[in-house]
Amino acid sequence: MSLIIGIVGNNAQAEEHADALAGLPADRVAAIRCRPEDLDQLLQRTDVQAVDLCVGLPAQTELGIRVAKAGKHVIAALPIASSLTDLHALTSSCHDVGVRLIVTGTAEYSGLMHALDNALASGQIGVPVALRLVWIEPANLENVGTFDQELFCLSARALYIAQHIFGSTAERVYAQRMHGAEAGKNSARYTQLMLTFAENATAVLELRCGADNHNYHMLMLLGTQGAAYYSQPEEGVVLTGSHSHMIDAPNTPASVREWQAILKSIQSGERAASNSHALVECLAATMAARLSYERNEAVRPAELVQQGILS
Amino acid sequence: MTEQLGVLLLSCVRHQGYYAPLIAKHTRLRIAAVADEADLPERWHTVNREFAAQYGVEYIPDVAAALARPDVALVSICSEPTRHAQLALKAARAGKHIWVDKPMAITMEEADALVNAVEAAGVRFTYVHFLYAPMIRHARQLIERELGSPRAIHADFVIGRGLQSGTVEDFRLVVDPKLSGGGEATNLLGYTVDYIRYLAGADVTQVYASMGTHFFEPHREFNVEDLATVALTLQNDLVATTIVGRAPTMRAALGDFGLRIYTDNGMVALDHNQPRLSVYGSNETAPRGMPFYEEPGDDAVEPLLDAFVDCIINRSEPLRGVRDGRRLIEILTAAYRSSASGSAVHVPLVN
């Protein structure tokens, strides 16, 4: 029997998700498109098991709670919520009703992360020591409305990747922003984050949105046993250890593999691709970055949680 | 015939092997002698004697006597880093122009004393930097002619193959604080901070750093960092980051070197590992790129020496003088304090 997923939203993210679902076998899944204002009608349909929210922040959190209370699985994009309080409200709603919160936009299924995960698991890189991640993309303001929100979401995605690579939460986050002509309306288009992990391992994230027409991604990961490099669009992932070699990307597109995992998660009852602990860690680090910029000082994400600074 | 300036090779322990050949072939320079302090380990005297023999000059294990020679106009100081400042002080007080390997000093007290001595003597001074490297000159031209003021700059300088990179004469010169003054931040941070200050046209106002010992037993044994990550705030709200140090692996010939400059009108990405320099203009849909390869020090030191000799002859100011060297020591000191405390440190330092 086919699984029916409601896709809420009319933006580029909704188009991408619909395209990805269309690439899966029709006997496994079908998608129904829906405008946000028509959500109640969608929730009344008994044949819809899950709802994919492509509405951005902050609407995503509020709509997610309504979806959960209707007894349907919630599919939402990082960073899920704008505050730990909102995140807790959504995860609690899902838990109380017994539906799952499934996260998209983590980049876990990208060719880059596939290659890095394999290299880390096989010991080719060893313990990660220093990461530099450059993530530049055109603006996508239809989701979030402001550059500040856009940077918040971009920061969350990059922080999720960094913490995934290091396998732990950043102990300190130090954030800076670019000003001047790059500044958008009352906010900046560029931020750089410096993370410190255990044993003084570090990550530098350069994040920029909407500055020009270019996509540019670069990664340098230095580990105790080897190093990995990635530049897009110029080349794929290269590992350097005893010898250098390219890592092949998987043939299946990342979006399709991500949705395959989502379907498997829904149908098997296994835990979703991203667990709630990782979501809290990601959002705490993202909020720490925002607070660090405001304070002009490094901020410990764990202290935000301990001190109850949740929004 | 043009008069040649006599050069005293004042210790040949560290990196003189790079500079002495350039001095020897320079049309305006002549190696006059090699000198060092008398009270040194025999291995340093041996190195100095070998340089003297190679260039057919006298080795004088007496700094005061060597600096008193009237045929010496300029000194090239290549001792252990912890002796750079004291040798430079003696040279300045003897009225000699100074070329010193980096860093010019270890402590702020040494740096302040050197500023005072050099300015009181009115001698020309420079430390070794890579600002004359073609990639930096090219990036500067792009900024000035096309891309506009930088808003953010990122520069990495990570040497591969550890202490076997071929750039270290004796590993203790890099890891033993009695000789090196610190770890790889002391050794290398000045290079990238100079890139950033030069390309930004602005000075550093805040430093946040994290340093660790991740890779090498010698660094661990002497408790010094082999890798440092530093975030900088500069005047006019510019921001920058840099990763410097030494790693076991390498991709390019010497290590990992990269530079990205974000400006009002686009971005320059120089990736030594591609190797490629790419310009991403705001109004263009595809980057303009060009193959570009050099090691950071390639083609940087010889034009630096040429320019410095011109400064001595014309009594003009070098691109980087003693106050720039002092500022690098101040930023380095701030980075060590930040790494120890976990907090950002403002510069100028209060104490």
Side-chain angles (χ1 to χ4, degrees):
Chain A
M1 181 181 168
S2 176
L3 181 73
I4 298 179
I5 295 176
I7 299 177
V8 179
N10 294 313
N11 56 22
Q13 181 188 355
E15 294 293 335
E16 288 172 13
H17 289 188
D19 288 346
L21 283 169
L24 296 173
D27 61 343
R28 287 194 62 197
V29 65
I32 298 171
R33 299 289 298 271
C34 168
R35 297 181 303 174
E37 53 268 36
D38 298 329
L39 178 64
D40 286 337
Q41 291 172 269
L42 181 75
L43 295 179
Q44 287 169 11
R45 289 184 56 155
T46 56
D47 57 343
V48 173
Q49 291 101 326
V51 175
D52 175 28
L53 297 166
C54 300
V55 294
L57 292 174
Q60 178 174 259
T61 318
E62 184 238 322
L63 296 189
I65 291 171
R66 285 166 58 190
V67 171
K69 288 181 175 173
K72 302 185 187 304
H73 302 299
V74 180
I75 303 170
L78 269 181
I80 304 294
S82 301
S83 70
L84 289 167
T85 303
D86 287 351
L87 178 62
H88 180 68
L90 179 54
T91 55
S92 296
S93 295
C94 292
H95 181 265
D96 292 346
V97 178
V99 297
R100 278 183 290 285
L101 172 61
I102 299 167
V103 185
T104 60
T106 62
E108 284 176 279
Y109 298 96
S110 67
L112 168 62
M113 292 309 297
H114 173 85
L116 281 182
D117 282 343
N118 285 345
L120 286 164
S122 63
Q124 295 179 80
I125 293 175
V127 178
V129 165
L131 168 70
R132 185 182 279 285
L133 176 65
V134 184
W135 193 331
I136 298 171
E137 62 184 28
N140 184 23
L141 295 184
E142 59 183 347
N143 266 4
V144 289
T146 69
F147 282 116
D148 190 59
Q149 284 279 38
E150 180 83 357
L151 275 182
F152 187 76
C153 296
L154 192 55
S155 299
R157 280 146 58 196
L159 283 160
Y160 191 92
I161 290 173
Q163 296 189 148
H164 176 84
I165 288 172
F166 283 88
S168 63
T169 310
E171 293 183 353
R172 295 194 304 272
V173 178
Y174 181 73
Q176 298 162 284
R177 286 186 186 177
M178 182 199 290
H179 290 277
E182 288 292 332
K185 293 178 181 176
N186 302 316
S187 60
R189 295 178 179 181
Y190 172 93
T191 190
Q192 63 190 37
L193 311 177
M194 180 173 151
L195 317 178
T196 305
F197 293 89
E199 306 294 331
N200 287 319
T202 55
V204 175
L205 314 178
E206 298 169 40
L207 312 172
R208 188 190 206 197
C209 60
D212 45 44
N213 300 319
H214 305 293
N215 275 302
Y216 180 86
H217 299 97
M218 191 282 278
L219 176 143
M220 175 182 78
L221 176 61
L222 304 179
T224 53
Q225 301 299 319
Y229 307 89
Y230 171 82
S231 292
Q232 186 268 335
E234 283 91 350
E235 62 173 33
V237 179
V238 176
L239 269 185
T240 305
S242 54
H243 63 283
S244 299
H245 61 280
M246 295 287 293
I247 298 178
D248 294 330
N251 291 325
T252 310
S255 58
V256 173
R257 289 188 298 118
E258 178 171 35
W259 279 98
Q260 286 173 336
I262 290 171
L263 297 189
K264 184 180 176 186
S265 171
I266 292 173
Q267 292 171 329
S268 69
E270 292 174 1
R271 180 171 280 279
S274 306
N275 62 39
S276 59
H277 181 64
L279 293 179
V280 171
E281 287 182 335
C282 174
L283 188 54
T286 310
M287 291 173 62
R290 178 177 275 177
L291 205 56
S292 168
Y293 173 68
E294 291 171 4
R295 292 179 178 174
N296 190 27
E297 186 53 277
V299 171
R300 296 176 180 272
E303 288 182 4
L304 296 188
V305 179
Q306 290 165 4
Q307 295 170 5
I309 302 173
L310 304 179
S311 60
Chain B
M1 181 180 167
T2 307
E3 184 185 355
Q4 290 183 310
L5 300 171
V7 182
L8 178 68
L9 304 184
L10 193 44
S11 189
C12 301
V13 170
R14 175 95 169 116
H15 284 174
Q16 195 71 277
Y18 292 111
Y19 314 141
L22 300 176
I23 294 168
K25 76 174 188 181
H26 200 287
T27 57
R28 303 298 303 270
L29 302 175
R30 174 184 54 80
I31 295 176
V34 175
D36 211 330
E37 294 169 304
D39 185 19
L40 291 174
E42 186 53 34
R43 65 181 188 277
W44 296 157
H45 288 303
T46 300
V47 169
N48 290 331
R49 283 192 201 97
E50 288 171 356
F51 270 83
Q54 182 179 346
Y55 292 102
V57 296
E58 182 184 3
Y59 174 47
I60 309 167
D62 182 334
V63 172
L67 288 174
R69 286 174 56 143
D71 63 339
V72 170
L74 166 66
V75 297
S76 170
I77 299 172
C78 290
S79 63
E80 318 88 282
T82 48
R83 285 198 297 136
H84 284 171
Q86 58 177 285
L87 291 175
L89 271 172
K90 290 176 181 175
R93 288 166 182 159
K96 311 298 183 186
H97 305 297
I98 299 164
W99 163 286
V100 59
D101 194 34
K102 48 76 192 173
M104 74 170 202
I106 301 300
T107 68
M108 286 304 296
E109 291 75 16
E110 288 178 342
D112 285 336
L114 201 47
V115 168
N116 293 335
V118 166
E119 292 184 347
V123 296
R124 305 295 104 176
F125 175 101
T126 198
Y127 55 89
V128 175
H129 57 75
F130 291 162
L131 298 181
Y132 284 98
M135 70 166 186
I136 299 299
R137 309 295 281 184
H138 195 74
R140 174 95 173 199
Q141 284 179 357
L142 283 167
I143 290 168
E144 291 175 347
R145 296 176 183 174
E146 180 181 349
L147 294 175
S149 301
R151 298 294 176 186
I153 302 176
H154 304 277
D156 293 338
F157 196 115
V158 182
I159 297 174
R161 285 193 305 184
L163 293 164
Q164 279 72 51
S165 65
T167 62
V168 181
E169 298 86 344
D170 181 324
F171 77 93
R172 289 165 292 194
L173 293 167
V174 174
V175 299
D176 181 352
K178 291 177 185 170
L179 305 177
S180 63
E184 299 296 349
T186 299
N187 189 21
L188 301 171
L189 185 62
Y191 283 139
T192 53
V193 171
D194 249 345
Y195 289 166
I196 291 163
R197 292 178 70 235
Y198 177 65
L199 293 170
D203 217 337
V204 174
T205 58
Q206 184 165 296
V207 180
Y208 178 75
S210 182
M211 304 183 193
T213 311
H214 306 284
F215 301 114
F216 304 112
E217 198 52 45
H219 293 77
R220 201 166 283 119
E221 180 185 344
F222 285 96
N223 195 30
V224 293
E225 74 286 349
D226 51 25
L227 202 69
T229 304
V230 183
L232 303 170
T233 305
L234 292 93
Q235 295 164 323
N236 305 323
D237 285 328
L238 268 71
V239 292
T241 64
T242 178
I243 302 174
V244 300
R246 202 175 291 274
T249 59
M250 58 183 296
R251 187 171 164 199
L254 184 59
D256 293 313
F257 307 100
L259 179 69
R260 270 173 314 291
I261 307 163
Y262 300 87
T263 79
D264 289 350
N265 300 316
M267 178 184 78
V268 178
L270 195 146
D271 185 349
H272 276 271
N273 295 308
Q274 295 266 3
R276 188 174 176 83
L277 185 146
S278 302
V279 179
Y280 294 77
S282 294
N283 300 316
E284 299 163 53
T285 54
R288 283 172 284 133
M290 62 195 84
F292 203 89
Y293 189 71
E294 70 203 45
E295 299 292 0
D298 284 355
D299 304 324
V301 178
E302 192 164 2
L304 170 62
L305 184 63
D306 287 343
F308 188 55
V309 171
D310 286 345
C311 289
I312 293 171
I313 293 169
N314 300 324
R315 301 194 62 76
S316 58
E317 291 303 316
L319 185 61
R320 283 293 180 262
V322 70
R323 286 188 177 269
D324 295 296
R326 181 196 180 281
R327 181 49 54 92
L328 293 185
I329 303 305
E330 189 167 41
I331 293 166
L332 179 65
T333 304
Y336 277 113
R337 289 184 186 177
S338 172
S339 183
S341 68
S343 299
V345 174
H346 293 281
V347 286
L349 295 170
V350 175
N351 52 47

